[in-house]
Amino acid sequence: MQLYIIQLSEKYSPGTEDVVSVLNISAFNIGIAVGSFLGGILISTSLGLLSITIMSTVFSLIAMLMASISIQIEK
């Protein structure tokens, strides 16, 4: 994914590859923090560990939707 992001920055905004790489890594770190936070909240609900499975499914569907939208925009 990082390579794809850098290729897009080279194509549309040459010279910004360093900034795009840093922003991409920052987005990963934010995602880890948000996922951990939400996971902790969800485990404490009445569903317990089942809620983690549901959250993972929802986030996976969102990621697939975003990937397909990105592919459609690129074509």
Side-chain angles (χ1 to χ4, degrees):
M1 186 170 122
Q2 185 164 358
L3 176 62
Y4 176 66
I5 297 291
I6 291 173
Q7 287 173 342
L8 287 177
S9 73
E10 288 174 346
K11 181 177 179 180
Y12 294 110
S13 228
T16 62
E17 295 83 12
D18 294 338
V19 175
V20 169
S21 179
V22 169
L23 290 174
N24 188 39
I25 294 169
S26 297
F28 281 130
N29 288 329
I30 290 169
I32 290 168
V34 170
S36 299
F37 176 75
L38 289 176
I41 290 173
L42 289 175
I43 286 177
S44 66
T45 64
S46 62
L47 290 176
L49 290 176
L50 178 61
S51 62
I52 298 299
T53 306
I54 295 168
M55 180 182 74
S56 300
T57 303
V58 169
F59 281 159
S60 295
L61 291 173
I62 291 170
M64 286 189 286
L65 177 67
M66 291 175 67
S68 66
I69 289 171
S70 177
I71 290 168
Q72 292 301 320
I73 290 173
E74 188 61 28
K75 286 183 178 182

Coordinates of all heavy atoms in Angstrom, one line a residue:
M1 N 0.8 -1.2 0.0 CA 0.0 0.0 0.0 C 0.9 1.2 0.0 O 0.6 2.2 -0.7 CB -0.9 0.0 1.2 CG -1.9 1.1 1.2 SD -3.1 0.9 2.5 CE -2.9 2.4 3.3
Q2 N 2.0 1.2 0.8 CA 2.8 2.4 0.8 C 3.4 2.6 -0.6 O 3.5 3.8 -1.0 CB 3.9 2.2 1.9 CG 4.7 3.5 2.0 CD 5.6 3.5 3.3 OE1 5.5 2.5 4.1 NE2 6.3 4.5 3.5
L3 N 3.8 1.6 -1.3 CA 4.4 1.8 -2.6 C 3.4 2.4 -3.5 O 3.7 3.3 -4.3 CB 4.9 0.4 -3.2 CG 5.4 0.5 -4.6 CD1 6.6 1.4 -4.7 CD2 5.7 -0.9 -5.0
Y4 N 2.1 1.9 -3.4 CA 1.0 2.5 -4.3 C 0.8 4.0 -4.0 O 0.7 4.8 -4.9 CB -0.2 1.7 -4.0 CG -1.5 2.2 -4.7 CD1 -1.5 2.2 -6.1 CD2 -2.5 2.7 -4.1 CE1 -2.6 2.6 -6.8 CE2 -3.6 3.2 -4.7 CZ -3.7 3.2 -6.1 OH -4.8 3.6 -6.8
I5 N 0.8 4.3 -2.7 CA 0.7 5.7 -2.3 C 1.8 6.6 -2.9 O 1.6 7.7 -3.4 CB 0.6 5.9 -0.8 CG1 -0.6 5.1 -0.2 CG2 0.6 7.3 -0.3 CD1 -2.0 5.7 -0.6
I6 N 3.0 6.1 -2.7 CA 4.2 6.8 -3.2 C 4.1 7.0 -4.8 O 4.4 8.0 -5.3 CB 5.5 6.2 -2.8 CG1 5.6 6.4 -1.3 CG2 6.7 6.8 -3.5 CD1 6.8 5.6 -0.6
Q7 N 3.7 5.9 -5.4 CA 3.6 6.0 -6.9 C 2.5 7.0 -7.3 O 2.7 7.8 -8.3 CB 3.2 4.6 -7.5 CG 4.3 3.7 -7.5 CD 3.9 2.3 -7.9 OE1 2.7 1.9 -7.9 NE2 4.9 1.4 -8.2
L8 N 1.4 7.1 -6.6 CA 0.4 8.1 -6.8 C 0.9 9.5 -6.6 O 0.7 10.4 -7.4 CB -0.8 7.9 -6.0 CG -1.7 6.7 -6.4 CD1 -2.9 6.6 -5.4 CD2 -2.3 6.9 -7.8
S9 N 1.7 9.7 -5.6 CA 2.3 11.0 -5.3 C 3.3 11.4 -6.4 O 3.4 12.6 -6.7 CB 2.9 11.1 -3.9 OG 4.2 10.4 -3.9
E10 N 4.1 10.5 -6.9 CA 5.0 10.8 -8.0 C 4.2 11.2 -9.2 O 4.7 12.0 -10.0 CB 5.9 9.5 -8.3 CG 6.9 9.2 -7.2 CD 7.7 7.9 -7.5 OE1 7.2 7.1 -8.3 OE2 8.7 7.7 -6.8
K11 N 3.1 10.5 -9.4 CA 2.3 10.8 -10.6 C 1.6 12.2 -10.6 O 1.6 12.9 -11.5 CB 1.3 9.7 -10.8 CG 0.4 9.8 -12.1 CD -0.5 8.6 -12.2 CE -1.4 8.7 -13.4 NZ -2.3 7.6 -13.5
Y12 N 1.0 12.4 -9.4 CA 0.1 13.6 -9.3 C 0.8 14.8 -8.7 O 0.4 16.0 -8.9 CB -1.2 13.3 -8.6 CG -2.0 12.3 -9.3 CD1 -2.2 11.0 -8.9 CD2 -2.7 12.7 -10.5 CE1 -3.0 10.1 -9.5 CE2 -3.5 11.8 -11.2 CZ -3.7 10.5 -10.7 OH -4.4 9.6 -11.4
S13 N 1.8 14.6 -7.8 CA 2.4 15.7 -7.1 C 3.9 15.3 -6.9 O 4.4 15.0 -5.8 CB 1.8 15.8 -5.7 OG 1.4 17.1 -5.4
P14 N 4.7 15.4 -8.0 CA 6.1 15.1 -7.9 C 6.8 15.9 -6.8 O 6.6 17.1 -6.6 CB 6.7 15.4 -9.3 CG 5.5 15.5 -10.2 CD 4.3 15.9 -9.3
G15 N 7.7 15.3 -6.1 CA 8.5 16.0 -5.1 C 7.9 15.8 -3.7 O 8.5 16.3 -2.7
T16 N 6.7 15.2 -3.6 CA 6.1 15.1 -2.2 C 6.1 13.7 -1.7 O 5.4 13.4 -0.7 CB 4.6 15.6 -2.4 OG1 3.9 14.7 -3.3 CG2 4.5 17.0 -2.8
E17 N 7.0 12.9 -2.2 CA 7.1 11.5 -1.8 C 7.4 11.3 -0.3 O 6.8 10.4 0.3 CB 8.1 10.7 -2.7 CG 7.7 10.6 -4.1 CD 8.1 11.8 -5.0 OE1 8.9 12.7 -4.4 OE2 7.6 11.9 -6.1
D18 N 8.3 12.1 0.2 CA 8.7 12.0 1.6 C 7.5 12.3 2.5 O 7.3 11.6 3.5 CB 9.8 13.0 1.9 CG 11.1 12.6 1.2 OD1 11.2 11.4 0.8 OD2 12.0 13.4 1.0
V19 N 6.8 13.4 2.2 CA 5.7 13.8 3.0 C 4.6 12.7 3.0 O 4.0 12.4 4.0 CB 5.1 15.2 2.6 CG1 3.9 15.5 3.3 CG2 6.2 16.2 2.7
V20 N 4.3 12.2 1.8 CA 3.3 11.2 1.6 C 3.6 9.9 2.4 O 2.8 9.3 3.0 CB 3.1 10.9 0.1 CG1 2.2 9.6 -0.1 CG2 2.5 12.1 -0.6
S21 N 4.9 9.5 2.4 CA 5.4 8.4 3.1 C 5.2 8.6 4.6 O 4.7 7.7 5.3 CB 6.8 8.1 2.8 OG 7.3 7.0 3.5
V22 N 5.5 9.7 5.1 CA 5.3 10.0 6.6 C 3.8 10.0 6.9 O 3.4 9.5 8.0 CB 6.0 11.4 6.9 CG1 5.6 11.8 8.3 CG2 7.5 11.2 6.8
L23 N 3.0 10.6 6.1 CA 1.6 10.7 6.4 C 1.0 9.3 6.3 O 0.1 8.9 7.1 CB 0.9 11.6 5.4 CG 1.1 13.1 5.5 CD1 0.5 13.8 4.4 CD2 0.6 13.6 6.9
N24 N 1.4 8.4 5.4 CA 0.9 7.1 5.3 C 1.3 6.3 6.6 O 0.4 5.6 7.2 CB 1.5 6.4 4.1 CG 0.9 5.0 3.9 OD1 -0.3 4.8 4.0 ND2 1.7 4.1 3.5
I25 N 2.5 6.4 7.1 CA 2.9 5.7 8.3 C 2.2 6.3 9.5 O 1.7 5.5 10.4 CB 4.4 5.8 8.5 CG1 5.1 5.0 7.4 CG2 4.9 5.3 9.9 CD1 6.6 5.2 7.3
S26 N 1.9 7.6 9.5 CA 1.2 8.2 10.6 C -0.3 7.6 10.6 O -0.9 7.4 11.7 CB 1.1 9.7 10.5 OG 2.4 10.2 10.6
A27 N -0.8 7.5 9.4 CA -2.2 6.9 9.3 C -2.3 5.5 9.9 O -3.2 5.1 10.6 CB -2.7 7.0 7.9
F28 N -1.2 4.7 9.6 CA -1.2 3.4 10.2 C -1.2 3.4 11.7 O -1.9 2.7 12.4 CB 0.1 2.6 9.7 CG -0.1 2.0 8.3 CD1 0.9 2.2 7.4 CD2 -1.2 1.2 8.0 CE1 0.8 1.7 6.1 CE2 -1.3 0.7 6.7 CZ -0.3 0.9 5.8
N29 N -0.3 4.3 12.3 CA -0.2 4.4 13.7 C -1.5 4.9 14.3 O -1.9 4.4 15.4 CB 0.9 5.3 14.1 CG 2.3 4.7 13.9 OD1 2.4 3.5 14.0 ND2 3.3 5.5 13.5
I30 N -2.2 5.8 13.7 CA -3.5 6.3 14.2 C -4.5 5.2 14.1 O -5.3 5.0 15.1 CB -4.0 7.5 13.4 CG1 -3.1 8.7 13.7 CG2 -5.4 7.8 13.6 CD1 -3.3 9.9 12.8
G31 N -4.5 4.4 13.1 CA -5.4 3.2 13.0 C -5.1 2.2 14.1 O -6.1 1.7 14.6
I32 N -3.9 2.0 14.4 CA -3.6 1.0 15.5 C -4.1 1.6 16.8 O -4.7 0.9 17.6 CB -2.0 0.8 15.6 CG1 -1.6 0.0 14.4 CG2 -1.7 0.1 16.9 CD1 -0.1 0.0 14.2
A33 N -3.9 2.9 17.1 CA -4.4 3.5 18.3 C -5.9 3.5 18.4 O -6.5 3.1 19.5 CB -3.9 4.9 18.4
V34 N -6.6 3.8 17.3 CA -8.0 3.8 17.3 C -8.6 2.4 17.5 O -9.5 2.2 18.2 CB -8.6 4.5 16.1 CG1 -10.1 4.3 15.9 CG2 -8.3 6.0 16.1
G35 N -8.0 1.5 16.8 CA -8.4 0.1 16.9 C -8.3 -0.5 18.3 O -9.1 -1.2 18.8
S36 N -7.1 -0.1 18.9 CA -6.9 -0.6 20.3 C -7.9 0.0 21.3 O -8.5 -0.6 22.2 CB -5.5 -0.2 20.8 OG -4.6 -0.9 19.9
F37 N -8.2 1.3 21.1 CA -9.1 2.0 21.9 C -10.5 1.4 21.8 O -11.2 1.1 22.8 CB -9.1 3.5 21.6 CG -10.2 4.3 22.3 CD1 -10.0 4.6 23.6 CD2 -11.3 4.8 21.7 CE1 -10.9 5.4 24.3 CE2 -12.2 5.5 22.4 CZ -12.0 5.8 23.7
L38 N -11.0 1.3 20.5 CA -12.3 0.7 20.3 C -12.4 -0.7 20.7 O -13.4 -1.2 21.3 CB -12.7 0.8 18.8 CG -13.0 2.2 18.3 CD1 -13.2 2.2 16.8 CD2 -14.1 2.8 19.0
G39 N -11.3 -1.5 20.6 CA -11.3 -2.9 21.0 C -11.5 -3.0 22.5 O -12.2 -3.8 23.0
G40 N -10.8 -2.1 23.3 CA -11.0 -2.1 24.7 C -12.4 -1.8 25.1 O -12.9 -2.4 26.1
I41 N -13.0 -0.8 24.5 CA -14.3 -0.4 24.8 C -15.3 -1.6 24.4 O -16.2 -1.9 25.2 CB -14.7 0.9 24.0 CG1 -14.0 2.1 24.6 CG2 -16.3 1.1 24.1 CD1 -14.2 3.3 23.8
L42 N -15.1 -2.2 23.3 CA -16.0 -3.2 22.9 C -15.9 -4.5 23.7 O -16.9 -5.2 24.0 CB -15.8 -3.6 21.4 CG -16.2 -2.5 20.4 CD1 -15.8 -2.9 19.0 CD2 -17.7 -2.3 20.5
I43 N -14.7 -4.8 24.2 CA -14.6 -6.0 25.0 C -15.4 -5.8 26.3 O -15.9 -6.8 26.9 CB -13.1 -6.3 25.3 CG1 -12.4 -6.9 24.1 CG2 -12.9 -7.3 26.5 CD1 -11.0 -7.2 24.2
S44 N -15.4 -4.6 26.8 CA -16.2 -4.4 28.1 C -17.7 -4.4 27.9 O -18.4 -4.3 28.9 CB -15.7 -3.0 28.7 OG -16.1 -2.0 27.9
T45 N -18.2 -4.5 26.7 CA -19.6 -4.6 26.5 C -20.1 -6.0 26.8 O -19.4 -6.9 27.0 CB -20.0 -4.2 25.0 OG1 -19.5 -5.2 24.1 CG2 -19.5 -2.8 24.6
S46 N -21.4 -6.1 26.7 CA -22.0 -7.4 27.0 C -21.7 -8.5 26.0 O -21.7 -9.7 26.4 CB -23.5 -7.3 27.1 OG -24.1 -6.9 25.9
L47 N -21.3 -8.2 24.8 CA -20.9 -9.2 23.8 C -19.5 -9.8 24.1 O -19.2 -10.9 23.6 CB -20.9 -8.6 22.4 CG -22.3 -8.3 21.9 CD1 -22.2 -7.7 20.5 CD2 -23.2 -9.6 21.8
G48 N -18.7 -9.1 24.8 CA -17.3 -9.5 25.1 C -16.5 -9.7 23.9 O -16.4 -8.8 23.0
L49 N -15.8 -10.8 23.8 CA -14.9 -11.0 22.6 C -15.6 -11.1 21.3 O -15.0 -10.9 20.3 CB -14.0 -12.3 22.9 CG -13.0 -12.2 24.0 CD1 -12.3 -13.5 24.2 CD2 -12.0 -11.1 23.7
L50 N -16.8 -11.5 21.3 CA -17.6 -11.6 20.0 C -17.6 -10.2 19.4 O -17.6 -10.1 18.1 CB -19.0 -12.1 20.3 CG -19.9 -12.1 19.1 CD1 -19.3 -13.1 18.0 CD2 -21.3 -12.6 19.5
S51 N -17.6 -9.1 20.2 CA -17.7 -7.8 19.6 C -16.4 -7.5 18.8 O -16.5 -6.7 17.8 CB -17.9 -6.7 20.7 OG -16.8 -6.8 21.6
I52 N -15.3 -8.1 19.1 CA -14.0 -7.9 18.4 C -14.2 -8.5 17.0 O -13.7 -7.9 16.0 CB -12.8 -8.5 19.1 CG1 -12.6 -7.9 20.5 CG2 -11.6 -8.4 18.3 CD1 -12.4 -6.4 20.4
T53 N -14.8 -9.6 16.9 CA -15.0 -10.2 15.6 C -15.9 -9.4 14.7 O -15.7 -9.2 13.5 CB -15.7 -11.6 15.8 OG1 -14.9 -12.4 16.6 CG2 -15.8 -12.3 14.4
I54 N -17.0 -8.8 15.3 CA -17.9 -7.9 14.6 C -17.1 -6.7 14.1 O -17.3 -6.3 13.0 CB -19.1 -7.6 15.5 CG1 -19.9 -8.9 15.7 CG2 -20.0 -6.5 14.8 CD1 -21.0 -8.7 16.8
M55 N -16.3 -6.1 15.0 CA -15.6 -4.9 14.7 C -14.6 -5.2 13.6 O -14.5 -4.4 12.6 CB -14.8 -4.3 15.9 CG -14.0 -3.1 15.6 SD -13.1 -2.4 16.9 CE -11.8 -3.6 17.0
S56 N -13.9 -6.3 13.6 CA -13.0 -6.7 12.6 C -13.7 -6.8 11.2 O -13.1 -6.4 10.2 CB -12.3 -8.0 12.9 OG -11.6 -7.8 14.2
T57 N -14.8 -7.4 11.2 CA -15.6 -7.6 10.0 C -16.0 -6.3 9.4 O -15.8 -6.0 8.2 CB -16.9 -8.4 10.3 OG1 -16.5 -9.7 10.8 CG2 -17.6 -8.7 9.0
V58 N -16.5 -5.4 10.2 CA -16.9 -4.0 9.8 C -15.7 -3.3 9.2 O -15.8 -2.7 8.1 CB -17.6 -3.2 10.9 CG1 -17.8 -1.8 10.5 CG2 -18.9 -3.9 11.3
F59 N -14.6 -3.3 9.9 CA -13.4 -2.6 9.4 C -12.9 -3.2 8.1 O -12.4 -2.5 7.3 CB -12.3 -2.5 10.5 CG -12.5 -1.5 11.6 CD1 -11.9 -1.6 12.8 CD2 -13.4 -0.4 11.3 CE1 -12.1 -0.6 13.8 CE2 -13.6 0.6 12.3 CZ -12.9 0.5 13.5
S60 N -12.9 -4.5 8.0 CA -12.5 -5.2 6.8 C -13.4 -4.8 5.6 O -12.8 -4.5 4.5 CB -12.5 -6.7 7.0 OG -11.6 -7.1 7.9
L61 N -14.7 -4.7 5.8 CA -15.6 -4.3 4.8 C -15.3 -2.9 4.4 O -15.3 -2.5 3.2 CB -17.0 -4.5 5.2 CG -17.5 -5.9 5.4 CD1 -18.9 -6.0 6.0 CD2 -17.4 -6.7 4.0
I62 N -15.1 -2.0 5.3 CA -14.8 -0.6 5.0 C -13.5 -0.5 4.2 O -13.4 0.3 3.2 CB -14.7 0.3 6.3 CG1 -16.1 0.4 7.0 CG2 -14.1 1.6 6.0 CD1 -16.0 1.0 8.4
A63 N -12.4 -1.3 4.6 CA -11.2 -1.3 3.9 C -11.3 -1.7 2.4 O -10.8 -1.2 1.5 CB -10.1 -2.1 4.6
M64 N -12.1 -2.8 2.3 CA -12.4 -3.3 0.9 C -13.1 -2.3 0.1 O -12.9 -2.1 -1.1 CB -13.1 -4.6 0.9 CG -12.2 -5.8 1.4 SD -13.0 -7.4 1.2 CE -14.1 -7.4 2.6
L65 N -14.1 -1.6 0.7 CA -14.9 -0.6 0.0 C -14.0 0.5 -0.5 O -14.0 1.0 -1.6 CB -16.0 -0.1 0.8 CG -16.8 1.0 0.3 CD1 -17.6 0.6 -1.0 CD2 -17.8 1.6 1.3
M66 N -13.1 1.0 0.4 CA -12.2 2.1 0.1 C -11.2 1.7 -1.0 O -10.9 2.5 -1.8 CB -11.5 2.6 1.4 CG -12.4 3.3 2.4 SD -11.6 3.7 3.9 CE -10.4 4.9 3.4
A67 N -10.7 0.4 -0.9 CA -9.8 0.0 -1.9 C -10.5 -0.1 -3.3 O -9.9 0.3 -4.3 CB -9.2 -1.4 -1.6
S68 N -11.7 -0.6 -3.4 CA -12.4 -0.7 -4.6 C -12.7 0.7 -5.2 O -12.6 1.0 -6.4 CB -13.7 -1.5 -4.5 OG -14.6 -0.9 -3.7
I69 N -13.0 1.7 -4.3 CA -13.3 3.0 -4.8 C -12.0 3.6 -5.3 O -12.0 4.3 -6.4 CB -13.9 3.9 -3.6 CG1 -15.3 3.5 -3.3 CG2 -13.8 5.4 -4.0 CD1 -15.9 4.1 -2.0
S70 N -10.9 3.4 -4.6 CA -9.6 3.9 -5.1 C -9.2 3.3 -6.5 O -8.7 4.0 -7.3 CB -8.5 3.6 -4.1 OG -7.3 4.0 -4.5
I71 N -9.5 2.0 -6.6 CA -9.2 1.4 -7.9 C -10.1 2.0 -9.0 O -9.6 2.3 -10.1 CB -9.4 -0.1 -7.8 CG1 -8.3 -0.7 -7.0 CG2 -9.4 -0.8 -9.2 CD1 -8.5 -2.2 -6.6
Q72 N -11.3 2.2 -8.7 CA -12.3 2.8 -9.7 C -11.9 4.2 -10.1 O -11.9 4.6 -11.3 CB -13.7 2.8 -9.2 CG -14.3 1.4 -9.1 CD -14.3 0.6 -10.4 OE1 -14.6 1.2 -11.4 NE2 -14.0 -0.7 -10.3
I73 N -11.4 5.0 -9.1 CA -11.0 6.4 -9.4 C -9.7 6.4 -10.3 O -9.6 7.2 -11.2 CB -10.8 7.1 -8.1 CG1 -12.1 7.4 -7.4 CG2 -10.0 8.4 -8.3 CD1 -12.0 8.0 -6.0
E74 N -8.8 5.4 -10.0 CA -7.6 5.4 -10.7 C -7.8 5.0 -12.2 O -7.0 5.4 -13.1 CB -6.6 4.4 -10.0 CG -5.2 4.4 -10.6 CD -4.5 5.7 -10.5 OE1 -4.8 6.5 -9.5 OE2 -3.7 6.0 -11.3
K75 N -8.8 4.2 -12.5 CA -9.1 3.8 -13.9 C -9.6 4.9 -14.7 O -9.6 5.7 -15.1 CB -10.1 2.6 -13.9 CG -9.4 1.3 -13.4 CD -10.4 0.2 -13.5 CE -9.8 -1.1 -13.1 NZ -10.7 -2.2 -13.2

